Amino acid sequence: MNVILCALGLSYAGMASLSLAMDRHHGQVWGRDAAINVRRALQIAGTLLLALAIWPCVAGWSATVGFVAWVGFISAGALLVALLLPYAPKLLLRSSLLAAVAALAGLVTFMQ
């Protein structure tokens, strides 16, 4: 169960970060376009979070099943972002930050 929550939290936070790196979605949350350095930081953070999401999948299952589960978790994270962004963009920001912190804490406990 910890594997699923950790991978889903990292995938959701990563997809939220990548979506907020786009000017249109960044404008929905903050009311202005993203600066170049903010856009780049959000892109890097999103990529790192998505890359970290493969770790609990592969550790919890085998490499082949873990990879397929990782792709599924990325799809689920993208679906959550796509459903939440048009209706509650500020909630997306807060929930993705909470998901990232919780998932990274779960990843640390998962490693031990």
Side-chain angles (χ1 to χ4, degrees), residues 3 10 50-61 70 107 110-111:
V3 172
L10 289 169
L50 291 177
L52 278 176
I54 199 168
W55 189 353
C57 294
V58 170
W61 298 290
W70 176 64
L107 192 64
F110 185 70
M111 290 177 2

Side-chain angles (χ1 to χ4, degrees), residues 66-108:
F67 180 76
V68 172
W70 176 64
V71 171
F73 285 124
I74 288 176
S75 299
L79 179 64
L80 289 172
V81 169
L83 292 175
L84 192 57
L85 189 59
Y87 301 107
K90 300 234 185 235
L91 180 62
L92 172 78
L93 175 66
R94 284 180 255 159
S95 64
S96 65
L97 288 173
L98 181 64
V101 169
L104 289 172
L107 192 64
V108 168

